[in-house]
Amino acid sequence: MHAAIIKGSVVENQTGKALARTLVTIQPLPGTQGPSGSVRTNTYGMFEFIELPAGGYVVHAARRGFMPAQYGQKNWRAAGQPIIVDKEQAVFLNVRLNRFSSISGMVVDENDVGLPQHEVIAMSNVRPPRMLQKAQADDRGVYRISGLDPGTYLVRTLGRPFEDGGYLPTFYRETARVEEAGTVDAVLDSETTNIKVRPLPGKLFTIGGRVYPARDAIATVTLVSDSGRETLTTGEAFQFHSKAPGPYEILVESPATRYTPPLGAYVAMSLEQRDITDMRINLLPMAGVSFGFKNTQGGRITDLSGIKIQYRRVDLAGEGPVETLKVTNGSAGLLPGRWQVMLVPSPAYVATDFQGPRGERPERGRADGWNEITVTGPTLVAFVLSSKPGSITGSVTMGANDSAPGVPVYLEAYDEVNRKRVVDLRTMRTDLRGKYSFDGLAPGTYRVVATFEYQAPLTSDIDAMRPKVITVEEGRELQLDLELWSIR
């Protein structure tokens, strides 16, 4: 009887209908002794967490087909408000979930007749754009792209052959050039309709060739473009049909056999106004990537037990999933291609410099983020590590200097010259006394803000918040107190 209870209901925002089987999770604030936990709502959309220690908790709800939400959000981009409970206190919450945005319309020919089975993609309105969601038109040429966050998008068809020719990838507003493309606004919990796309007629081409692996090997060949990845399995010959002119990348992987180690290949190419069917791709063993580590005095670091490296593939379609690299005696194996590597943040050390295989160095000297390398054979990369990371600690207050518990604090490594973010945004919530702390910081310039207005603010959002700018030095702990920022 000396524990708190958090219970409540989850409903659809527009109708108020109960949402059964919604996953509800709680996350304790720093300094709260309570556990993290999750439950699913029952048939009536109800959930309950019992026997909770007193403290602060953030409540999160997610169900397929709906946008995830935190209790107490002002809007879909905002961060949720924490629930502060005393012992023996019971609180009841009502969480409302919005559906994702969607875009619908038709793919039509020059006479406004629907084109069936045409693929349509929604792309981010950045340069270069990235594919986010894909849909296929039905037998009448009607399409619907779902699962979108509210925002501004580019809509484009993919290349497709037809009876007497083909259609080129075409943006909304009838253009093949991204600079001339029309934009489409997607609204929260709504469908943007009547987005008509008229593909431009043109010739499509074939990309093909042969893979030369060792005997008994089966190769996976992936063709990558800015509109996604297409994969096939082959023993030797491969072909990708109906491809529009433009840049492509070919990734080939062949698993280990009783005779050979894992093999792979990477080819960057440009498809012009002709078929390319005579490619010869020779598979090579997985390349050895050697990692060298030095301290800031130039001495070699030999104890690598506490050093971990994350990696992800990067190609024309974007970044792949993040994984932890298996490093043995300072070396690891990677298939040919473009990769990004990053030292896992640690309170014990921080990267202060990086040098890639051809002398590449990180932008603005920030080695503590993702560093891109191209692997074509044996590769050597080097990190300089400092055993004296910097740190920032402080308090967040609101109103008449009252402490602000559970406020998200955002730390942005910032390039003041080019006015851009250079390392992934870091975030944490203040504890019950309004205190926060970031450790394991590399030397450099940072911007710090505290606000409930955003869950993942962009650099442009932080610009508008009048952030505190601070320079972190090696081995120094800096004190920085903040005021809660709100939109007025």
Side-chain angles (χ1 to χ4, degrees), residues 369-451:
W370 289 107
N371 300 282
E372 185 167 325
I373 60 175
T374 300
V375 176
T376 56
T379 303
L380 174 64
V381 297
F383 282 97
V384 175
L385 305 184
S386 169
S387 60
K388 300 177 180 178
S391 62
I392 300 174
T393 61
S395 301
V396 178
T397 57
M398 58 183 177
N401 294 323
D402 295 329
S403 62
V407 177
V409 181
Y410 300 100
L411 179 75
E412 180 186 55
Y414 188 64
D415 177 355
E416 292 186 287
V417 175
N418 296 307
R419 300 181 63 83
K420 62 188 293 187
R421 183 178 299 168
V422 293
V423 177
D424 293 346
L425 188 71
R426 290 180 62 176
T427 180
M428 70 167 300
R429 286 187 182 252
T430 58
D431 64 16
L432 294 173
R433 298 176 298 161
K435 304 287 187 181
Y436 76 93
S437 177
F438 291 100
D439 56 15
L441 301 183
T445 300
Y446 295 84
R447 302 197 301 178
V448 192
V449 293
T451 183

Side-chain angles (χ1 to χ4, degrees), residues 174 386 478:
E174 295 183 57
S386 169
L478 302 177

Side-chain angles (χ1 to χ4, degrees), residues 23-242:
L23 181 66
V24 182
T25 61
I26 57 170
Q27 184 69 38
L29 296 182
T32 295
Q33 300 302 314
S36 301
S38 63
V39 296
R40 289 197 179 271
T41 57
N42 61 19
T43 303
Y44 306 103
M46 307 297 292
F47 67 90
E48 185 178 59
F49 295 94
I50 61 175
E51 299 181 357
L52 296 176
Y57 299 86
V58 178
V59 180
H60 180 278
R63 175 177 154 146
R64 186 176 181 181
F66 291 82
M67 296 191 67
Q70 294 177 1
Y71 177 77
Q73 287 177 285
K74 290 183 178 180
N75 56 62
W76 72 274
R77 289 194 66 191
Q81 300 274 347
I83 302 301
I84 309 297
V85 292
D86 297 324
K87 62 180 181 179
E88 302 184 19
Q89 181 183 6
V91 296
F92 187 93
L93 313 178
N94 180 256
V95 183
R96 307 184 74 90
L97 295 189
N98 292 288
R99 290 189 178 272
F100 284 100
S101 306
S102 60
I103 298 171
S104 65
M106 288 188 68
V107 183
V108 299
D109 64 9
E110 61 273 23
N111 298 313
D112 268 3
V113 177
L115 292 171
Q117 279 73 58
H118 225 104
E119 288 187 305
V120 186
I121 59 175
M123 308 185 78
S124 57
N125 186 27
V126 297
R127 302 296 182 270
R130 295 292 191 193
M131 189 198 77
L132 300 175
Q133 296 288 351
K134 180 188 293 187
Q136 187 175 55
D138 63 15
D139 60 325
R140 294 175 177 267
V142 177
Y143 71 89
R144 183 176 184 273
I145 307 174
S146 60
L148 300 173
D149 288 340
T152 302
Y153 295 89
L154 305 176
V155 175
R156 190 178 83 173
T157 60
L158 300 186
R160 181 171 173 80
F162 269 83
E163 291 79 5
D164 57 350
Y167 288 103
L168 299 175
T170 305
F171 287 100
Y172 171 58
R173 299 297 190 197
E174 295 183 57
T175 179
R177 293 170 50 85
V178 65
E179 297 83 4
E180 301 169 354
T183 58
V184 180
D185 291 328
V187 181
L188 177 66
D189 212 344
S190 299
E191 182 171 325
T192 303
T193 60
N194 299 320
I195 303 302
K196 186 183 295 184
V197 190
R198 185 176 286 107
L200 300 171
K203 189 173 182 181
L204 302 175
F205 303 94
T206 298
I207 298 173
R210 306 183 79 83
V211 176
Y212 291 88
R215 59 181 178 175
D216 299 332
I218 297 296
T220 299
V221 183
T222 301
L223 183 70
V224 185
S225 69
D226 65 354
S227 57
R229 304 173 179 89
E230 183 178 347
T231 299
L232 57 82
T233 301
T234 179
E236 187 172 337
F238 68 91
Q239 282 194 338
F240 296 94
H241 300 284
S242 305

